[in-house]
Amino acid sequence: MNTIELLSIIIASIATILGGVWFIVNQAFNFGKTTQRINQIDERTAHAKCDSHDDSIELLKKQLYEFKRDIQQSIDNLRNDFNDFKRETRENFKVVKEDISNLKVDVASLKKDVAILKVDVATLKVDVATLKVDVASLKKEVFSIKEFLSLKYEDALAFFLLKNSPLSLSEFGKFILQEIDGMELIQRNKDILFSAIDNNKPRTALDVESSALMACISFCDNEEFDKIKNFVYNSPEYDVKDKNGDNKKCNLRLADVCFILSIPLRDLYLSQHPEIIL
């Protein structure tokens, strides 16, 4: 209940009380006039006894008694109404006090929430600033990875890949693929690897080839890759003929394995996505 509603109730109650008071005053005034008339009749009939006068006097007395009874009833009703008004007023004021107390609590809570929000906004600003630094650092790392892959690409062409159209595995590349059970690895984790390629939304076969390599690199952290890591760690120095037929020493690296795996992964993905332009 708000303040306006409370004031409306008080004003209506006061109007009711004043109306009752006016009724009592008006009735009292009429009672005075009636009493005066009775006195006048008494004076005129004091020495003139008759049955007609006696009946008139008895009727007036009866009316006077009923009038007094009505007045008393009105006073009692007015008193009861006034007591009800006082009780309702006290209850309404109590409700208003409770509402004001609750409002104070809500305002205090709101101030606290605003203070917390300010702290959160300040923290968010710090987080955004940190994120900008992280993104800048990530860009540098991506650039470094691209640079590293461009260097390893030449090594891959020398030992593991044949520069046909498209790229294909050399005999040594096929040997390493078999040694690491590469096709089995791809088949077991096809959904994860395909999802990584899908995220790049490839439109051409070359897009798929690049995405397949990045998918294999990102998969290196998976537990499935631990066996391959151990294989690379314990691999010997291989004697390999390069693309020119010269004997070369090859130390196998994890990036080399990713290049080798990316070729059959590319072919498998393209075989299941005929909509991609070849």
Side-chain angles (χ1 to χ4, degrees):
M1 181 182 295
N2 55 38
T3 305
I4 295 176
E5 292 175 344
L6 180 60
L7 289 175
S8 299
I9 292 173
I10 294 174
I11 292 172
S13 300
I14 292 174
T16 302
I17 294 171
L18 291 177
V21 171
W22 170 250
F23 173 77
I24 293 172
V25 170
N26 188 46
Q27 294 287 58
F29 180 75
N30 291 331
F31 176 71
K33 292 195 295 182
T34 302
T35 303
Q36 183 179 5
R37 290 173 183 169
I38 293 172
N39 291 333
Q40 290 174 353
I41 292 171
D42 284 341
E43 289 177 359
R44 289 197 304 268
T45 59
H47 303 288
K49 282 196 171 261
C50 68
D51 293 338
S52 177
H53 288 167
D54 289 341
D55 291 341
S56 297
I57 292 172
E58 289 299 324
L59 178 60
L60 286 174
K61 287 182 178 180
K62 181 179 179 181
Q63 291 176 346
L64 179 61
Y65 171 79
E66 291 175 353
F67 177 73
K68 289 172 65 178
R69 183 190 60 195
D70 293 341
I71 289 292
Q72 186 62 46
Q73 184 64 42
S74 298
I75 292 173
D76 292 340
N77 292 338
L78 185 59
R79 183 182 294 111
N80 293 332
D81 291 341
F82 183 72
N83 289 334
D84 291 341
F85 167 74
K86 289 199 303 182
R87 184 179 66 258
E88 291 178 3
T89 301
R90 283 196 298 266
E91 292 175 354
N92 291 333
F93 273 116
K94 182 179 179 181
V95 171
V96 171
K97 287 177 64 177
E98 291 177 354
D99 290 343
I100 292 174
S101 299
N102 293 333
L103 180 61
K104 289 181 178 178
V105 173
D106 291 341
V107 170
S109 178
L110 181 61
K111 288 182 179 179
K112 185 178 179 181
D113 291 341
V114 169
I116 294 174
L117 180 60
K118 288 182 179 179
V119 173
D120 291 341
V121 170
T123 303
L124 181 61
K125 288 182 179 179
V126 173
D127 291 342
V128 170
T130 304
L131 181 62
K132 288 181 179 179
V133 174
D134 291 342
V135 169
S137 176
L138 182 61
K139 287 182 178 178
K140 291 181 180 179
E141 291 179 1
V142 170
F143 178 78
S144 300
I145 291 173
K146 288 183 176 180
E147 189 175 23
F148 169 76
L149 290 178
S150 65
L151 295 174
K152 293 303 296 179
Y153 180 74
E154 295 301 325
D155 293 340
L157 281 178
F159 298 112
F160 312 108
L161 305 178
L162 296 177
K163 184 56 177 174
N164 296 329
S165 296
L167 290 176
S168 60
L169 291 177
S170 67
E171 291 301 319
F172 183 56
K174 294 176 182 177
F175 168 76
I176 296 297
L177 181 66
Q178 185 176 357
E179 287 293 300
I180 63 175
D181 295 325
M183 289 306 302
E184 290 79 1
L185 174 74
I186 291 173
Q187 289 292 345
R188 286 197 308 272
N189 302 281
K190 184 180 70 173
D191 292 341
I192 298 175
L193 295 169
F194 274 27
S195 177
I197 297 175
D198 291 337
N199 289 337
N200 291 323
K201 296 180 175 57
R203 297 187 302 276
T204 67
L206 184 60
D207 294 335
V208 174
E209 185 174 275
S210 301
S211 299
L213 176 58
M214 296 306 298
C216 291
I217 292 173
S218 64
F219 192 68
C220 287
D221 289 335
N222 194 288
E223 187 176 349
E224 285 269 2
F225 230 81
D226 289 349
K227 182 180 178 180
I228 294 178
K229 291 177 182 177
N230 291 331
F231 175 82
V232 171
Y233 180 79
N234 294 297
S235 64
E237 186 178 56
Y238 295 97
D239 291 320
V240 185
K241 289 185 180 296
D242 65 10
K243 61 183 178 180
N244 298 319
D246 298 329
N247 290 326
K248 297 286 184 179
K249 297 291 184 181
C250 175
N251 291 311
L252 193 65
R253 298 288 184 267
L254 196 59
D256 299 327
V257 175
C258 291
F259 271 107
I260 293 170
L261 288 171
S262 69
I263 299 304
L265 176 61
R266 174 204 66 190
D267 295 339
L268 181 61
Y269 187 89
L270 287 173
S271 69
Q272 298 187 20
H273 292 79
E275 75 280 2
I276 294 179
I277 302 173
L278 299 179

